[in-house]
Amino acid sequence: MIPKLIVVDLDGTTLNSNGVISEENKLSLRKAAEQGIEIAIATGRTFESARDFMNEIGINGHVVTLNGSGVRHIEANKPLYLSYIEPEVVSHMMSVDGVNRVNSYFNTGEKSYVIVREREIYDSFPFNPALHEINSLDDLGSDISNLSKLLFSTSDSELLEEINQGLKKLALEVVYPDKWCLEVTAEGVSKASALAILADELGITQQEIAAIGDSENDLEMIRYAGVGIAMENAMPSVKEAAKYITTHHNEDGVAYAVTKLLEGEWPM
């Protein structure tokens, strides 16, 4: 049996180290779609970013955004689903020891904001013209009630782990997408919880889903899917949870995995 839904992460998975989707990855995903398989992107990125990559691949489908906080078809005027972090919880987060020393990103379903405290690492991120630089939570105005995901970033790994431990005392989901960042969503919100909503919308069972990822924010999705696939460059915990390991994200790992699925060499 081949999957009815293939879900791919972006960074470290479908994108190579230069942030580019290879032609091989694009062709394999289009081939799967042509065979009637639903293709979805699941990412910590915003809807606009995920939609642009879906359009680049040439597929018309759904995207799971902000680490599972949102589910939306790329042609829809509004989300199928969007979760929020309570404003008082956001305030508690910002008072955790160390948070006032790192870059803090705030995402709603429509807007993105950042408080910059470490300019060098901020400048190392790809430029985002839609990102609004602010000085404090007060500058969010009414959008403090519309936040779906926060991200904290610093070059100080010890400080980041200190923040991680502090955040985990709150009712939140906290994951490392990489060694420089922490991503935070509301309690119970993950790529897996969003996939359950999407699968229900599409009439697809959990066992009919194949998911491909590399980072801690993919872990629950890898565990949830009927077949979880880890990249060669994936974090050890993701590899341990996966049924199959594909090649590196710089070696067209998504294309390799999709081909194995379509040819039945990796059974569901």
Side-chain angles (χ1 to χ4, degrees):
M1 182 180 76
I2 64 174
K4 291 185 177 180
L5 170 62
I6 297 175
V7 186
V8 295
D9 170 53
L10 284 176
D11 297 279
T13 300
T14 308
L15 307 183
N16 62 24
S17 295
N18 295 319
V20 174
I21 308 177
S22 71
E23 288 304 314
E24 289 80 2
N25 284 348
K26 292 177 189 177
L27 286 170
S28 68
L29 290 169
R30 287 202 295 268
K31 182 177 179 180
E34 287 165 3
Q35 293 186 23
I37 298 171
E38 295 282 348
I39 306 296
I41 286 173
T43 179
R45 293 177 179 238
T46 63
F47 169 74
E48 290 77 14
S49 177
R51 178 192 59 198
D52 289 348
F53 280 115
M54 189 72 98
N55 286 331
E56 181 182 339
I57 295 168
I59 294 173
N60 189 18
H62 288 83
V63 292
V64 170
T65 60
L66 303 176
N67 270 3
S69 296
V71 180
R72 185 171 172 179
H73 192 279
I74 63 169
E75 293 186 342
N77 292 324
K78 61 181 181 179
L80 173 65
Y81 164 81
L82 190 62
S83 70
Y84 302 100
I85 305 172
E86 293 294 330
E88 58 268 28
V89 177
V90 174
S91 295
H92 287 315
M93 291 169 63
M94 299 306 292
S95 66
V96 167
D97 287 346
V99 165
N100 64 349
R101 296 162 55 193
V102 304
N103 295 341
S104 303
Y105 294 78
F106 309 85
N107 295 110
T108 73
E110 303 292 336
K111 299 177 185 177
S112 299
Y113 303 89
V114 61
I115 298 174
V116 179
R117 298 187 177 94
E118 194 173 338
R119 182 64 61 177
E120 184 174 355
I121 194 166
Y122 170 77
D123 289 340
S124 71
F125 280 40
F127 175 68
N128 180 359
L131 187 60
H132 305 282
E133 191 168 334
I134 59 175
N135 296 311
S136 70
L137 280 185
D138 291 339
D139 294 336
L140 291 172
S142 61
D143 270 342
I144 195 169
S145 299
N146 300 321
L147 297 176
S148 295
K149 191 195 85 167
L150 275 72
L151 182 145
F152 300 106
S153 179
T154 176
S155 58
D156 187 335
S157 58
E158 291 184 3
L159 175 59
L160 198 62
E161 179 55 24
E162 177 185 335
I163 294 169
N164 180 37
Q165 295 304 317
L167 291 172
K168 286 186 173 179
K169 296 175 183 177
L170 305 176
L172 295 162
E173 302 298 329
V174 187
V175 294
Y176 277 99
D178 56 51
K179 63 181 180 179
W180 309 120
C181 301
L182 285 172
E183 290 182 317
V184 187
T185 53
E187 187 176 24
V189 172
S190 69
K191 291 183 181 181
S193 65
L195 277 190
I197 293 168
L198 177 57
D200 184 65
E201 173 72 9
L202 297 174
I204 292 172
T205 67
Q206 181 178 348
Q207 290 71 31
E208 294 170 325
I209 301 172
I212 311 174
D214 71 299
S215 296
E216 190 178 36
N217 63 355
D218 299 313
L219 184 56
E220 293 305 315
M221 175 176 77
I222 296 292
R223 289 172 173 163
Y224 172 81
V227 167
I229 301 168
M231 306 299 294
E232 175 57 36
N233 52 283
M235 293 179 177
S237 60
V238 178
K239 287 184 175 181
E240 289 172 9
K243 185 174 182 179
Y244 302 113
I245 309 294
T246 187
T247 54
H248 198 279
H249 74 129
N250 286 331
E251 299 172 352
D252 310 316
V254 165
Y256 182 86
V258 171
T259 299
K260 289 289 188 182
L261 290 168
L262 296 184
E263 294 180 352
E265 295 183 31
W266 284 357
M268 297 294 291

